[in-house]
Every structure is written in structure tokens, then in C-alpha cells.
């Protein structure tokens, strides 16, 4: 496998981002464009669109595309999903990482509805459980990036670093190196 950095796409104009979003939407019709489909076929990441335009649905609307997924999930739906995950894992104490692996909502949805994981899990009638974080070394970050590179067959994007394939998150990597691009460049230099 060839490990080669793609051009730096930092600070691209809004119109270039929106044009690429429209291109992918036209390609995947009639299924409708999702973040996962965009991540698979787009030039940038869905998270880039979200950061630039505020959220995924706003990016779609700016591109003239009708959003296909609801954005605001009622807290009752989140509570029911937390309960379902607890049953699936067979525990009355649930960690956020267990929920992230088995649940259907993101941490953002949980924090939109509750002040944090503890409040959400208690609202579901359960106890919060906490897993100790692993220490993120440069070597562990590089291993995660290399594994993702080999798994997806191209330069990985932040979205490609995810559990259960990776023991650390892309946020940990970007915090350690200052940005995703700096992490890729640091790997390139070793």
C-alpha cells in the first residue's frame, strides 16, 4: 500500500465545499445523502461541512439539498435507546463508551438533551459507569492512523478513526498534535 499525503484542503471556499456536496448528492440519488455517504464519496469530511456551516442539515440546505434525517431527537427516544443498550450489554451500569459502541445516537445528541452522560443514564434509571482512558502516546496515535489507512485504502479522514477498530478517538489525536493534518504530517516524518 502506498502511504502518500493528499493535498492540504484547509481554508477552501464555501462554494467549493457546497459544489462537492451537490456532486455527491447527485451521485447517490435517490437514496439521499447522509454523512456516511458523503464521507465515502466526498472530497472532504462531513465534519468539515458541519464545522463550516454550523451543522450537517445547514450545509445541505446551503447546497440546496433537502435534509433526509431529523436533527433534534427527543430525550424520551434517547432514554429508551440507553435502556435498550443496557439490556443488550446486560448491565445496570452503563459507560459512555459502551453506549457509543452499541447505541444509535451520538454524544452530541445526548449533550443536546442532557447536561452530560451521568444525567442521561440516570434519567434512564441506570447508573453511570466510567472506563479509565488510555494514555495516548505518539506511537499509539500513529498506529491508529496507519491501521485506518490500511483499512480504508486511502489517506484516512478523521471519521475513519473510530471504535471498535481504534482504541483511541480522532479527537484525542487532533488534541495531541494540534490538528488532523499535523498528525498526518508527523506520521509522514517518522
Amino acid at each position: 500500500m502506498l502511504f502518500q499525503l493528499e493535498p492540504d484542503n484547509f481554508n477552501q471556499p464555501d462554494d467549493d465545499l457546497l459544489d462537492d456536496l451537490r456532486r455527491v448528492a447527485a451521485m447517490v440519488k435517490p437514496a439521499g445523502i447522509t454523512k456516511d455517504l458523503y464521507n465515502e464519496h466526498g472530497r472532504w469530511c462531513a465534519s468539515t461541512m458541519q464545522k463550516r456551516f454550523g451543522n450537517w442539515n445547514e450545509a445541505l440546505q446551503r447546497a440546496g439539498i433537502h435534509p433526509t434525517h431529523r436533527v433534534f431527537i427527543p430525550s424520551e427516544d434517547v432514554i429508551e435507546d440507553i435502556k435498550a443498550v443496557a439490556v443488550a450489554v446486560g448491565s445496570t451500569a452503563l459507560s459512555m463508551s459502551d453506549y457509543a459502541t452499541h447505541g444509535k445516537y451520538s454524544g452530541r445528541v445526548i449533550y443536546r438533551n442532557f447536561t452530560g452522560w451521568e444525567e442521561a443514564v440516570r434519567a434512564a434509571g441506570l447508573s453511570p459507569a466510567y472506563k479509565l482512558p488510555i494514555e495516548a502516546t505518539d506511537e499509539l496515535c500513529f498506529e491508529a492512523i496507519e491501521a485506518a489507512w490500511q483499512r480504508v485504502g486511502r489517506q484516512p479522514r478523521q471519521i475513519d478513526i473510530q471504535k471498535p477498530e481504534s482504541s483511541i478517538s480522532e479527537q484525542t489525536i487532533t488534541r495531541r498534535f494540534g490538528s488532523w493534518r499535523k498528525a498526518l504530517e508527523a506520521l509522514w516524518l517518522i
Side-chain angles (χ1 to χ4, degrees):
M1 164 155 308
L2 180 64
F3 293 94
Q4 184 175 357
L5 283 178
E6 295 171 356
D8 189 359
N9 291 317
F10 192 67
N11 287 332
Q12 293 295 313
D14 288 357
D15 288 340
D16 288 356
L17 295 168
L18 296 172
D19 286 344
D20 193 56
L21 192 52
R22 289 183 199 102
R23 177 189 63 80
V24 174
M27 186 173 73
V28 299
K29 278 190 176 184
I33 188 165
T34 64
K35 289 186 269 187
D36 289 338
L37 284 171
Y38 183 77
N39 286 333
E40 185 177 336
H41 301 288
R43 180 174 172 192
W44 295 278
C45 289
S47 62
T48 299
M49 299 293 181
Q50 290 175 261
K51 289 175 188 171
R52 180 70 63 92
F53 301 109
N55 63 55
W56 177 247
N57 283 348
E58 182 62 29
L60 291 175
Q61 289 172 348
R62 292 271 306 266
I65 301 166
H66 182 70
T68 57
H69 290 84
R70 64 184 190 169
V71 177
F72 299 104
I73 311 296
S75 58
E76 297 80 23
D77 292 359
V78 177
I79 290 169
E80 288 307 311
D81 194 52
I82 290 171
K83 288 178 181 178
V85 170
V87 168
V89 299
S91 179
T92 58
L94 194 62
S95 71
M96 183 65 179
S97 63
D98 282 339
Y99 182 78
T101 301
H102 302 286
K104 63 181 176 180
Y105 300 118
S106 69
R108 179 172 283 161
V109 171
I110 290 168
Y111 285 97
R112 208 179 273 146
N113 284 286
F114 304 96
T115 58
W117 175 246
E118 187 171 332
E119 180 186 353
V121 77
R122 290 197 190 289
L126 303 166
S127 301
Y130 301 98
K131 291 189 175 178
L132 295 174
I134 59 170
E135 183 181 341
T137 62
D138 287 357
E139 184 176 305
L140 188 60
C141 293
F142 293 151
E143 286 173 6
I145 294 169
E146 285 180 28
W149 207 317
Q150 290 177 351
R151 188 177 69 255
V152 298
R154 59 169 166 69
Q155 177 180 315
R157 299 176 180 148
Q158 289 174 275
I159 192 72
D160 296 321
I161 306 292
Q162 52 189 306
K163 292 184 177 184
E165 292 90 4
S166 177
S167 61
I168 60 172
S169 69
E170 54 88 13
Q171 292 97 347
T172 300
I173 295 171
T174 55
R175 266 194 309 271
R176 183 162 185 87
F177 291 94
S179 74
W180 181 250
R181 181 66 184 195
K182 288 178 183 176
L184 292 173
E185 289 171 351
L187 171 65
W188 191 250
L189 294 174
I190 60 169

